[in-house]
Amino acid sequence: MTKNIEIEFKNIVSETDFHLITQTFQIKNDQFFTQTNHYFDTSDFSLKQAGAALRVRELPLSFEFTLKMPAKIGLLEVNQNLSIEEASLLRTSSQIPNGEVMIELIKMNINMEDIQYFGSLTTNRAEIKYKDGLLVFDHSFYLNKEDFEIEYEVADWSKGKINFEQLMSELNIPILSADNKIERFYSAKKMSTTKVID
């Protein structure tokens, strides 16, 4: 189990700009790997309303259970490794495994029995080090949608903001307000549900 502060800058970009920036940094196809985020909340979105998010990240050889909560700067992440059995039970029956994530959920007065699985988002991702941070190239797929995103993960908010905005300016890529992945997923899910009802 680990706790850490996540500070990152995000920019939704067009497919053309995504290919421009990957070519600029000479990112090859074999540098991309696939990860899938499985999202959870209560039926009345108690976590979302608290500015928090709960997910299982599935990688080729591991599963990580993460609760993200607001912090003074960035987000506080509580991470817990899961076995394949624990990850499977979470998806099929919303059974929350014992550990630090459960402890934090209880502190938030979240009833474990109210937590349910909402769906998944799959990302093809590449990462490189860039000016004291990590530059991330994401092509994501969810609910018959896809988008392209550049993330910059840093330890220092002020320096990171300068470096990220300077990079986007140098490449003549507009900075567009970007919701995080879980917000984009829930927004798309709400729209698809509305269409079904209509």
Side-chain angles (χ1 to χ4, degrees):
M1 188 280 298
T2 60
K3 287 186 177 181
N4 61 276
I5 295 294
E6 176 190 73
I7 301 173
E8 64 182 14
F9 298 89
K10 298 172 175 288
N11 194 18
I12 292 290
V13 299
S14 67
E15 182 174 3
T16 299
D17 284 342
F18 185 80
H19 292 307
L20 167 65
I21 195 168
T22 54
Q23 289 169 6
T24 298
F25 285 96
Q26 300 181 328
I27 305 299
K28 308 299 183 187
N29 286 338
D30 61 6
Q31 290 177 256
F32 283 88
F33 61 93
T34 300
Q35 63 182 33
T36 300
N37 289 345
H38 305 288
Y39 296 123
F40 300 82
D41 206 326
T42 63
S43 58
D44 58 355
F45 295 101
S46 300
L47 290 166
K48 183 180 178 184
Q49 290 174 22
L54 187 65
R55 70 158 191 239
V56 170
R57 173 163 288 172
E58 178 181 350
L59 291 162
L61 299 175
S62 65
F63 296 86
E64 185 179 56
F65 194 27
T66 299
L67 174 64
K68 294 188 178 188
M69 300 174 286
K72 289 183 178 180
I73 298 178
L75 295 169
L76 172 63
E77 282 192 349
V78 180
N79 299 305
Q80 177 181 333
N81 291 328
L82 297 181
S83 67
I84 188 170
E85 293 81 9
E86 289 173 324
S88 178
L89 283 171
L90 250 171
R91 284 191 62 192
T92 57
S93 59
S94 298
Q95 184 173 322
I96 307 298
N98 292 325
E100 192 66 26
V101 171
M102 178 187 281
I103 291 170
E104 293 295 335
L105 289 170
I106 291 171
K107 289 179 184 177
M108 296 173 66
N109 295 315
I110 302 295
N111 187 335
M112 299 303 107
E113 294 181 359
D114 292 340
I115 292 175
Q116 55 186 263
Y117 168 65
F118 278 90
S120 303
L121 177 150
T122 297
T123 300
N124 292 329
R125 165 172 287 192
E127 304 172 340
I128 60 168
K129 291 181 179 179
Y130 176 74
K131 291 187 177 179
D132 299 321
L134 188 70
L135 194 60
V136 181
F137 311 83
D138 281 349
H139 181 193
S140 297
F141 305 85
Y142 53 102
L143 300 173
N144 297 317
K145 292 175 67 71
E146 66 178 308
D147 60 41
F148 300 85
E149 178 182 21
I150 304 300
E151 292 184 358
Y152 187 43
E153 300 176 4
V154 296
D156 184 297
W157 188 90
S158 297
K159 291 180 181 178
K161 180 177 173 63
I162 291 170
N163 290 339
F164 186 66
E165 290 181 351
Q166 184 177 24
L167 174 61
M168 294 297 105
S169 176
E170 289 173 356
L171 294 172
N172 198 30
I173 295 175
I175 295 179
L176 304 175
S177 176
D179 289 333
N180 61 37
K181 288 181 177 63
I182 192 168
E183 290 170 332
R184 301 202 302 272
F185 171 83
Y186 281 139
S187 177
K189 189 172 183 69
K190 182 178 179 182
M191 288 180 64
S192 65
T193 302
T194 302
K195 288 177 182 177
V196 170
I197 293 173
D198 290 344

